[in-house]
Amino acid sequence: MDRLNYINSGNADYINSLYEAYKQDPESVDYGWQKFFEGFEFNINTNATGTAASTAAPGVDDKTYDHFLKEIKVLNMIDGYRSRGHLFAKTNPVRERRHYYPGKELETFGLSEADLDTVFNSGVEVGLGAAKLSDIRQLLEDTYCRAIGAEYRYIRNPIKIKWFEDRMEKNRNTPSFTIDEKKSMLNKLNEAVTFENFLGTKFLGQKRFSLEGAEALIPSMDSVIKKGADLGIEEFIIGMAHRGRLNVLTNIMEKTYKEVFSEFEGKNFDSESPFGGDVKYHLGFSTDVITSNGKKVHLSLCPNPSHLEAVDPVVEGITRSKIDFKYNGDHSKIAPILIHGDASVAGQGIVYEVLQMEKLDGYRTGGTIHLVINNQIGFTTNYKDARSSTYCTDVAKTVLSPVFHVNGDDVEALAYVVNLAMEYRQVFNEDVFIDILCYRRYGHNEADEPKFTQPLLYKAIEAHANPLKIYNQKLIDEGSIDATYLKGVEKAFKDELQQKLDESKAEDRFTDTIAMFEGAWSGLHLASHKEFVKAIDTSVPEEELLAIGNKLTTLPADMEFFKKIEKLFEDRKTMVNQTKVFDWAMGELLAYGTLLKEGYPLRLSGEDVKRGTFSHRHAVLTLADSEDEYTPLATIETDAKLSIYNSLLSEYGVLGFEYGYALANPNALTIWEAQFGDFFNGAQIIVDQYIASAETKWQRGNGLVMLLPHGYEGQGPEHSSARVERFMELCADDNIQVANCTTPANFFHILRRQMHRDFRKPLIIFTPKSLLRSPKCVSPIEDFTSGKFHELIDDTYADPKKVKRVLLCTGKVYYDLLDKQQADKRKDVAIVRVEQLYPTPVTQILKVKAKYEKATEFIWVQEEPENMGAWPYICRKFHNDTVINLNVISRNEGSSTATGFAKQHAAQQLYIVSKAFEAPAGKVVKEAIKKTTKKMADAGAD
């Protein structure tokens, strides 16, 4: 039917019009209405008296017409149960649900107890045909108001709605499992419950973030993996927080109990290991499992920090990467599973960001199974204080994902729902949420006292039997097992756990089974410091470079482009074929083109990356007469995959996604660019918890590249600084690379270096804005066809014999200093560019000092305030250095990164330059700074 959207109006005239249309041509109305009117006419033929009510169709008496109106009310009741039945479902295992009005009483729909034995043809809508009202209502009660509450009617696709109703109403949402399947679920539930009890008694007082109260998660995950494997899935990527993680690791991922027990006893600590490690309930694990149906499935549980839901975009990125490279774009072979908490799924904005990726071309993964462990509490916060929405899962409705609320004590109902969700995912490639209403038997951790804040709830929880006892009794009552079955299963499992504990205690130490360099990472290794700082050749032969350059600058004659684009590409072709001097955009595109030609896949994403925030890249062109696109890089003959996506307006979600993408495929150059560099701080959690520290915590490398536009050009506090200082304070243990390049060629080489080394480290590059079009910021072809990335670039103008002062700097400020040096012909002041801030090229800096032997002053010059930029790190690095004593010239320390006043910015910039040379800035420098400030102001900051 057309989903009965008219019913609430009670418009009998509209029904009459449908009936008149049916009489003229039965095929003109929906099939459901055809059957309805067939029954209606049958009723007329058997009951009509020949007298018609004034509002009825001709030939219909008052009694028949009253029945006709009640048919509408029954249809309204069916619609009510389908739309609101979840509000009355018996989903809460430990306390009474809130009351919702109007309710589901017959009177709500204009019916009464007197109608229960009346036969209504509306039963055809739920597959009963003509049926008594009592039977229709019982079907609806069974389907929508027992242990499963279904929210799906907001979905705007009637095919999907019918898909659910056909399946749910046919079997009344009643699970039907074989005895063997029931025993399997009981066994998994026993593993979950007994494992937690064992840990609680053997490791008293240690944090484990128990799953107790939500143990049904384990048989449900076992079920969804089995169902997925039967439907063709070969791999699951799983993300979850700490609660229940140890249970999932052992009873789903098949991590050995012995290994977990060794971690509890600290036997996996190695004082000589280069890794710092993490707590046991944050660790990841990968394995192959064989389902009960004999299907082999690969499972990966991603490591995660305590920051709830931070792992979500990482899981999606890993999944998409594997879809692209391992499964040739077939998302039916792999699926992500995200396990949330009720407080975090409602409270953490990253959940919304990730959901908004669901249907986007650059980020879709074919649908995610979301399992919510709904403890009805967040740490100590009551659920009524944790959200404004009715359900913690209401965020799912923003992308029209169906939601099922399930009583966590009903193991079979939960298994039934996850199987239904898995099938829906495979058919429609969309997300499904399953809200497991359960409880947390203890406090936030086992030592926490929950009765301080929820005394009544925990009084109820103390008196409540665990899911194992409940399900065991159910199976005994129905005759599926006898009373001794579980006792034998429990004893055998406890004996196994004790044996593994004894084996663990017998060993002095234990080595974690974490394989860093298998699968996609084969052939790579953990870099030594010597390798990390070693220079490599990244040059490209001139003939090859020019051939790629010509492909990148040639527009098809049969396509119409915007005139400014045509002029831009003419200028670029001139660079390739005449001047052979390249600007920043060409240096970048040539790096991409040469890597693609060499077989390295490229993925570039972020806000506005196709064109570039500052309209410099134009890697993807939109035709002037349509919305079709043309990508010059795609014309390069290669088998390597090219992906360039404008992202949704998200930093946290997209950076996490790209981190996951790079993690799964280290052989692809994966780049995320911020619209403005300072916007990255919306994703600070990903930087801190993953990019900077994942290798030492979890033994997981990553080659992600971050491009962060940075530079002081009068654009105000929010568009000047990419917060160099925040990355520098994270630098240690050779964990990341931080660079601020000043030439297109050096940018070209550092991008190529990222792929040409046999190890991977995250690379953060502070990229220019005003320099993108500066005639000074260019590189001749010789700088591309020979050499390598230069961590430090020395001054070729100053006279080493005359130099008294050496200025060390990084990034755009170099060009302001250069203007002054050239204008005044100051050969006594050398300007040395530190292109790579970390690892800091200390040896090269010391060589520079030795070269300028008459120099008495070595000064670090930066645009940023003194308490920001690279200086705090540089100062610490050379603190009390007996060889080189650095001073600093910068803006005064400040709480804000930059001034919002253009005049004040220019005055500060002039001060830095004049102070660096101990002379007035001069007319040339003033004009250059003024011109840059005006140009960037005209470009617009926001």
Side-chain angles (χ1 to χ4, degrees):
M1 260 178 214
D2 189 21
R3 293 301 145 233
L4 315 176
N5 58 359
Y6 56 86
I7 288 177
N8 289 327
S9 68
N11 192 335
D13 290 336
Y14 180 71
I15 308 300
N16 281 333
S17 69
L18 279 178
Y19 180 53
E20 290 299 322
Y22 167 79
K23 288 193 295 182
Q24 295 294 323
D25 178 12
E27 297 296 325
S28 67
V29 299
D30 188 85
Y31 175 77
W33 278 114
Q34 292 177 35
K35 304 306 292 181
F36 177 86
F37 289 129
E38 284 177 14
F40 176 61
E41 290 185 337
F42 175 79
N43 199 18
I44 292 175
N45 293 333
T46 55
N47 296 299
T49 63
T51 27
S54 58
T55 58
V60 181
D61 63 18
D62 288 342
K63 181 178 179 182
T64 300
Y65 188 68
D66 288 343
H67 182 83
F68 181 67
L69 292 180
K70 284 194 174 181
E71 290 275 12
I72 297 173
K73 293 175 181 178
V74 175
L75 288 171
N76 195 16
M77 181 185 76
I78 293 171
D79 184 68
Y81 268 89
R82 287 170 170 173
S83 301
R84 300 180 68 248
H86 57 87
L87 295 172
F88 313 104
K90 300 174 180 64
T91 53
N92 200 317
V94 290
R95 56 183 168 189
E96 186 179 353
R97 292 196 61 183
R98 287 180 286 183
H99 297 287
Y100 296 94
Y101 300 96
K104 57 187 177 71
E105 298 80 10
L106 290 173
E107 290 73 17
T108 298
F109 307 104
L111 300 165
S112 69
E113 296 288 327
D115 298 312
L116 286 175
D117 289 330
T118 303
V119 174
F120 291 97
N121 203 55
S122 300
V124 71
E125 173 64 15
V126 291
L128 291 178
K132 292 181 179 180
L133 178 61
S134 59
D135 293 334
I136 296 172
R137 186 173 71 165
Q138 189 60 53
L139 181 146
L140 296 172
E141 282 283 333
D142 292 345
T143 304
Y144 298 107
C145 297
R146 291 198 299 179
I148 300 169
E151 288 190 279
Y152 66 98
R153 295 280 287 175
Y154 46 78
I155 296 174
R156 294 167 189 159
N157 185 333
I159 295 173
K160 296 173 185 176
I161 292 175
K162 189 174 189 305
W163 189 93
F164 277 120
E165 289 171 355
D166 286 348
R167 282 154 182 78
M168 294 190 297
E169 292 172 356
K170 181 179 180 180
N171 60 21
R172 305 190 181 206
N173 267 344
T174 301
S176 177
F177 295 106
T178 66
I179 290 179
D180 285 343
E181 288 172 329
K182 292 178 180 181
K183 286 182 177 180
S184 177
M185 284 187 275
L186 183 68
N187 291 346
K188 294 305 290 186
L189 195 55
N190 173 65
E191 290 175 4
V193 171
T194 305
F195 177 69
E196 294 292 357
N197 290 338
F198 190 85
L199 291 179
T201 55
K202 301 299 182 180
F203 301 101
L204 194 64
Q206 287 205 46
K207 287 183 183 180
R208 55 191 166 92
F209 294 98
S210 161
L211 188 61
E212 288 167 274
E215 295 98 333
L217 174 72
I218 298 303
S220 72
M221 286 195 68
D222 185 65
S223 185
V224 78
I225 291 167
K226 175 186 172 184
K227 182 68 173 181
D230 290 343
L231 295 174
I233 290 179
E234 299 175 9
E235 185 170 1
F236 286 94
I237 311 297
I238 305 168
M240 68 180 298
H242 40 279
R243 184 158 313 284
R245 190 179 190 87
L246 297 179
N247 218 312
V248 171
L249 279 167
T250 52
N251 294 319
I252 295 298
M253 307 294 296
E254 299 183 359
K255 183 175 182 177
T256 68
Y257 300 111
K258 176 182 174 181
E259 189 168 350
V260 172
F261 297 153
S262 295
E263 289 169 351
F264 268 97
E265 294 175 347
K267 291 185 176 182
N268 58 335
F269 171 68
D270 182 356
S271 60
E272 297 181 0
S273 170
F275 305 110
D278 200 353
V279 292
K280 51 191 168 291
Y281 40 81
H282 287 172
L283 302 179
F285 194 76
S286 294
T287 189
D288 291 324
V289 300
I290 305 297
T291 70
S292 58
N293 287 347
K295 302 288 179 65
K296 181 179 178 181
V297 185
H298 186 72
L299 305 179
S300 294
L301 177 62
C302 298
N304 71 286
S306 285
H307 298 67
L308 299 176
E309 309 294 346
V311 75
D312 297 0
V314 178
V315 166
E316 301 294 339
I318 292 172
T319 306
R320 176 55 182 263
S321 187
K322 292 196 172 192
I323 289 171
D324 286 349
F325 296 104
K326 185 176 179 180
Y327 297 106
N328 298 314
D330 186 356
H331 43 59
S332 69
K333 299 291 185 184
I334 182 172
I337 298 175
L338 293 177
I339 303 174
H340 311 272
D342 54 312
S344 62
V345 78
Q348 291 295 314
I350 186 60
V351 176
Y352 178 80
E353 291 184 37
V354 171
L355 279 178
Q356 286 295 348
M357 298 178 184
E358 181 198 10
K359 296 180 177 67
L360 302 182
D361 288 342
Y363 308 92
R364 67 170 78 238
T365 57
T368 300
I369 302 296
H370 299 265
L371 300 173
V372 181
I373 301 176
N374 189 342
N375 295 314
Q376 309 179 59
I377 190 173
F379 207 140
T380 66
T381 301
N382 192 288
Y383 74 95
K384 291 181 180 179
D385 297 321
R387 62 180 186 266
S388 297
S389 58
T390 301
Y391 295 113
C392 64
T393 52
D394 279 350
V395 66
K397 298 173 187 175
T398 61
V399 291
L400 308 181
S401 294
V403 179
F404 292 90
H405 309 279
V406 188
N407 190 314
D409 278 350
D410 195 327
V411 181
E412 290 185 19
L414 185 52
Y416 163 82
V417 166
V418 296
N419 289 347
L420 184 66
M422 191 73 255
E423 187 179 350
Y424 179 84
R425 188 267 181 188
Q426 289 296 86
V427 173
F428 296 106
N429 307 127
E430 293 183 355
D431 290 23
V432 185
F433 279 73
I434 301 165
D435 177 19
I436 307 171
L437 273 293
C438 50
Y439 53 91
R440 189 185 69 195
R441 187 160 291 279
Y442 303 108
H444 179 66
N445 60 64
E446 288 67 35
D448 196 29
E449 176 52 77
K451 290 182 180 177
F452 286 149
T453 50
Q454 278 81 26
L456 296 181
L457 173 62
Y458 274 85
K459 184 178 180 180
I461 290 172
E462 280 184 351
H464 192 76
N466 68 46
L468 179 61
K469 289 183 179 179
I470 293 171
Y471 189 47
N472 181 58
Q473 190 60 51
K474 176 181 183 294
L475 296 185
I476 292 173
D477 292 344
E478 68 182 30
S480 296
I481 61 172
D482 60 36
T484 64
Y485 177 81
L486 181 60
K487 293 179 181 178
V489 172
E490 279 184 310
K491 183 180 185 307
F493 186 56
K494 286 179 180 178
D495 290 345
E496 179 186 354
L497 293 176
Q498 186 61 53
Q499 178 186 345
K500 298 303 178 184
L501 178 60
D502 293 341
E503 291 175 6
S504 170
K505 288 182 175 180
E507 296 181 353
D508 292 331
R509 64 178 303 274
F510 179 81
T511 303
D512 287 325
T513 56
I514 300 176
M516 289 185 68
F517 302 106
E518 293 181 356
W521 284 78
S522 296
L524 300 173
H525 67 274
L526 187 66
S528 66
H529 178 72
K530 185 176 181 181
E531 289 177 297
F532 198 21
V533 298
K534 181 182 178 181
I536 63 169
D537 185 2
T538 49
S539 61
V540 177
E542 181 173 337
E543 182 179 351
E544 182 178 328
L545 193 74
L546 292 178
I548 291 172
N550 272 304
K551 283 186 173 291
L552 297 180
T553 58
T554 300
L555 297 177
D558 60 345
M559 295 183 181
E560 184 178 348
F561 296 92
F562 190 43
K563 294 301 180 185
K564 289 184 178 180
I565 290 293
E566 292 178 349
K567 176 62 169 63
L568 172 66
F569 274 68
E570 287 173 8
D571 293 342
R572 288 182 175 180
K573 187 167 282 292
T574 298
M575 295 181 202
V576 175
N577 295 317
Q578 296 181 33
T579 65
K580 295 186 179 179
V581 174
F582 302 104
D583 64 8
W584 193 273
M586 278 301 292
E588 177 184 6
L589 293 170
L590 286 170
Y592 300 154
T594 55
L595 286 170
L596 285 167
K597 184 70 174 177
E598 292 166 358
Y600 294 102
L602 167 68
R603 178 182 170 91
L604 170 63
S605 93
E607 296 157 25
D608 314 301
V609 297
K610 291 182 177 181
R611 190 202 74 169
T613 301
F614 309 101
S615 195
H616 78 288
R617 181 176 292 120
H618 295 285
V620 180
L621 310 175
T622 304
L623 303 190
D625 56 353
S626 72
E627 292 189 356
D628 292 340
E629 294 180 334
Y630 174 72
T631 305
L633 281 164
T635 64
I636 294 171
E637 296 176 0
T638 180
D639 292 330
K641 182 177 179 62
L642 169 66
S643 305
I644 304 176
Y645 295 108
N646 284 344
S647 76
L648 64 160
L649 209 161
S650 155
E651 286 77 36
Y652 189 176
V654 177
L655 182 59
F657 185 99
E658 301 306 337
Y659 176 88
Y661 195 96
L663 180 65
N665 187 6
N667 297 309
L669 179 62
T670 305
I671 302 173
W672 176 76
E673 181 178 58
Q675 189 179 65
F676 283 86
D678 51 311
F679 289 171
F680 94 87
N681 59 14
Q684 190 73 53
I685 289 172
I686 298 298
V687 173
D688 293 346
Q689 309 307 322
Y690 287 93
I691 291 172
S693 59
E695 188 172 83
T696 187
K697 290 191 298 187
W698 307 319
Q699 301 180 36
R700 287 290 176 262
N702 202 290
L704 178 68
V705 178
M706 295 175 64
L707 302 182
L708 306 178
H710 172 85
Y712 281 61
E713 291 131 340
Q715 289 192 289
E718 272 69 60
H719 295 308
S720 297
S721 175
R723 292 289 190 175
V724 177
E725 65 279 359
R726 293 190 179 169
F727 289 94
M728 299 309 296
E729 71 179 9
L730 295 171
C731 293
D733 304 322
D734 291 335
N735 61 334
I736 59 177
Q737 308 161 88
V738 183
N740 194 351
C741 303
T742 58
T743 72
N746 227 21
F747 186 46
F748 168 90
H749 286 295
I750 198 171
L751 290 173
R752 287 180 51 76
R753 184 183 75 169
Q754 188 70 355
M755 302 310 299
H756 278 272
R757 298 195 290 197
D758 52 7
F759 59 87
R760 295 289 179 265
K761 298 281 185 176
L763 171 61
I764 294 89
I765 307 178
F766 301 106
T767 54
K769 295 174 290 179
S770 62
L771 295 182
L772 295 172
R773 293 177 180 79
S774 171
K776 299 171 189 173
C777 187
V778 294
S779 297
I781 194 169
E782 293 80 12
D783 289 352
F784 297 85
T785 59
S786 62
K788 56 184 177 58
F789 173 70
H790 296 282
E791 292 86 357
L792 180 146
I793 301 177
D794 198 0
D795 196 326
T796 58
Y797 177 79
D799 185 347
K801 296 179 180 179
K802 296 180 180 179
V803 169
K804 295 291 197 301
R805 171 178 284 199
V806 177
L807 305 177
L808 292 155
C809 65
T810 187
K812 182 194 75 70
V813 73
Y814 163 74
Y815 288 96
D816 292 334
L817 298 173
L818 181 65
D819 284 340
K820 175 63 177 174
Q821 183 198 46
Q822 299 296 304
D824 293 358
K825 296 182 173 52
R826 293 289 298 271
K827 289 183 175 287
D828 62 328
V829 178
I831 309 173
V832 179
R833 289 169 273 175
V834 179
E835 301 280 289
Q836 180 173 283
L837 293 166
Y838 187 82
T840 310
V842 176
T843 301
Q844 295 181 49
I845 291 173
L846 295 179
K847 286 182 179 179
V848 164
K849 182 181 185 301
K851 173 184 173 182
Y852 300 112
E853 57 185 19
K854 293 185 178 180
T856 58
E857 293 180 289
F858 290 85
I859 302 172
W860 180 263
V861 183
Q862 66 177 35
E863 299 178 297
E864 300 87 354
E866 185 176 351
N867 58 320
M868 300 177 192
W871 173 244
Y873 175 85
I874 295 294
C875 178
R876 178 170 61 85
K877 195 74 176 176
F878 293 96
H879 180 63
N880 290 332
D881 194 291
T882 58
V883 180
I884 184 169
N885 183 27
L886 283 175
N887 289 314
V888 64
I889 294 174
S890 67
R891 282 172 167 80
N892 292 332
E893 64 179 21
S895 55
S896 177
T897 56
T899 178
F901 302 106
K903 287 185 177 180
Q904 186 175 10
H905 157 76
Q908 291 172 344
Q909 204 75 3
L910 289 171
Y911 165 79
I912 291 170
V913 174
S914 62
K915 187 72 174 175
F917 287 89
E918 292 296 347
K923 183 178 180 180
V924 172
V925 177
K926 286 181 179 179
E927 288 300 318
I929 291 174
K930 182 178 179 181
K931 182 178 179 181
T932 297
T933 303
K934 184 178 186 306
K935 180 172 67 175
M936 296 307 292
D938 292 342
D942 294 307

